[in-house]
Amino acid sequence: MKILRVISSMHPSNGGPCQGIRNATPYFDKSGITTEVVCMDDPDTSYPVTDNFTIFKVGNGKTSYQYQPKLLKWLKQHIEKYDFVIVHGLWQYHNLAVYKAIRSLRKQQYVPKVVIMPHGMLDPYFQKAADRKWKALRNQWVWEFIEKKCINQTDAVFFTCEEEMRLAATTFKKYNPKKVCNVGYGIQRPPENNITLKEEFYKNCPTAEGKKYFLFLSRIHEKKGVDLLIKAYNQLCVEGSDFPDLVIAGPTESDYAKEMIQLAVNNPKIHFPGMLSGKSKWGAFYNCEAYFLPSHQENFGIAIVEAMACKKPVLITKNVNIWTEIHEGGGGWVVSLEENNALKNVLSEIIEQSDENLEMKGLKAFETYLNKFDIDACANKYIQTLKNI
């Protein structure tokens, strides 16, 4: 079996979907399934990771829609070589390009099966958020003229969890996919903890060396609730300071990230090491007290599960689609952002936890990871679901 994954970008800074591909591909290889990727990165782009599978880069797209006609040309030339085409994400040109390429094959005897993975992009949050009015209008237009037919005519739509699948059906009218499946989502086991990981982390964040700290590790973006976290933490620091520092790890080049650095400028207990990857990322996870992601919307949250795999308790919100699994497993705290001071109150509660209680909660988080999010079981479920569409 040969799979083509189509995604706008494979650069690790673009978040979960490209990391999900990297997590799953070795397990597909074990099952004799070849994975190749085509994306709209510049051919000269290099990634800060090593990939053991083929990635075709057709060139950067234009505008936020990422229009790149070379992608359609490439697909028409190569798409017949594959058994399955899996499209990752919506609202950009790569989805329409696959739709057009498949239509060009309709009169031929063989047409590969097509699956779309929205990765949370059908969540009603994106149509209702107050700061997304223009984007919501754009999405409504794109839905009516493009995405609706892509979704409804694909062979199946794959979701990463039950909550994502449930919410997707509530966002747009005339949503009628042929088949929907919850295939789950998982991550590989992290490397074993060792002193090298800690040293690599402190090379990137020397101001936190020798200190206990809480960790936020994700894109520094409005959606992630970084401002809420910094404000709540700053308020607690005014009331006292005998508790762990806060490390906010993520790319710092954006205007929003610079605003967040300015928001924390008077608090020496908050550290911004930039984006962490490889050994320094795992060192950050293994040596933190707990992981925080107070997001306004999160389809899955790979970094959340990475923290759990490192036996760390997690603080998330009810806007993270795997919150039920985490709550039931007892490996973290779940906050409703609609409640006043809820985040500050939970942070205060975490600060009061003993080391033993945090460790116990971390072990429960690890058990939840093994039971729900281990990549081996999730990849097997994904493969079996593919074979049945």
Side-chain angles (χ1 to χ4, degrees), residues 149-164:
K149 60 187 178 184
C150 295
I151 287 285
N152 292 343
Q153 294 185 36
T154 196
D155 292 288
V157 183
F158 280 7
F159 297 97
T160 60
C161 61
E162 287 291 334
E163 183 71 356
E164 183 199 3

Side-chain angles (χ1 to χ4, degrees), residues 312-333:
K312 299 300 175 180
V314 296
L315 164 63
I316 61 169
T317 70
K318 287 188 176 180
N319 304 314
V320 175
N321 285 345
I322 58 171
W323 75 267
T324 301
E325 290 90 335
I326 292 171
H327 175 70
E328 291 175 351
W333 302 266

Side-chain angles (χ1 to χ4, degrees), residues 51-176:
D51 293 309
N52 295 318
F53 54 91
T54 301
I55 301 176
F56 301 99
K57 306 168 188 174
V58 299
N60 292 330
K62 297 178 181 179
T63 76
S64 61
Y65 187 59
Q66 291 294 296
Y67 175 69
Q68 174 50 276
K70 291 180 182 178
L71 176 61
L72 179 57
K73 182 179 179 181
W74 188 97
L75 288 169
K76 286 183 175 181
Q77 290 174 345
H78 300 283
I79 202 167
E80 291 177 87
K81 301 175 185 176
Y82 301 94
D83 300 291
F84 292 92
V85 179
I86 302 173
V87 184
H88 293 267
L90 303 175
W91 313 122
Q92 291 182 328
Y93 177 70
H94 64 294
N95 200 11
L96 178 60
V98 170
Y99 174 82
K100 287 185 173 182
I102 291 294
R103 280 182 62 88
S104 72
L105 299 178
R106 288 301 184 193
K107 294 181 180 180
Q108 299 186 27
Q109 188 172 3
Y110 174 76
V111 179
K113 298 278 189 179
V114 179
V115 171
I116 293 176
M117 290 194 72
H119 292 285
M121 295 181 188
L122 284 174
D123 194 299
Y125 162 82
F126 295 108
Q127 296 304 105
K128 296 178 179 179
D131 61 343
R132 288 184 52 86
K133 290 181 179 179
W134 287 111
K135 290 181 179 179
L137 285 172
R138 179 203 64 184
N139 284 0
Q140 186 66 51
W141 186 91
V142 175
W143 171 259
E144 288 296 330
F145 292 96
I146 299 173
E147 300 294 356
K148 179 176 63 179
K149 60 187 178 184
C150 295
I151 287 285
N152 292 343
Q153 294 185 36
T154 196
D155 292 288
V157 183
F158 280 7
F159 297 97
T160 60
C161 61
E162 287 291 334
E163 183 71 356
E164 183 199 3
M165 189 164 68
R166 183 189 70 80
L167 289 171
T170 69
T171 307
F172 293 102
K173 295 179 180 179
K174 299 180 182 179
Y175 167 83
N176 297 299

Side-chain angles (χ1 to χ4, degrees), residues 188-203:
Q188 298 174 9
R189 291 281 185 97
E192 291 293 325
N193 192 13
N194 59 64
I195 189 65
T196 302
L197 302 182
K198 179 189 286 189
E199 290 172 349
E200 287 298 317
F201 167 61
Y202 286 133
K203 282 182 184 178

Side-chain angles (χ1 to χ4, degrees), residues 56 77-78 126-127 132 206 259 263 271 335 346 381 386:
F56 301 99
Q77 290 174 345
H78 300 283
F126 295 108
Q127 296 304 105
R132 288 184 52 86
E259 288 178 23
L263 186 61
H271 314 272
V335 176
V346 173
K381 181 179 179 181
L386 268 182

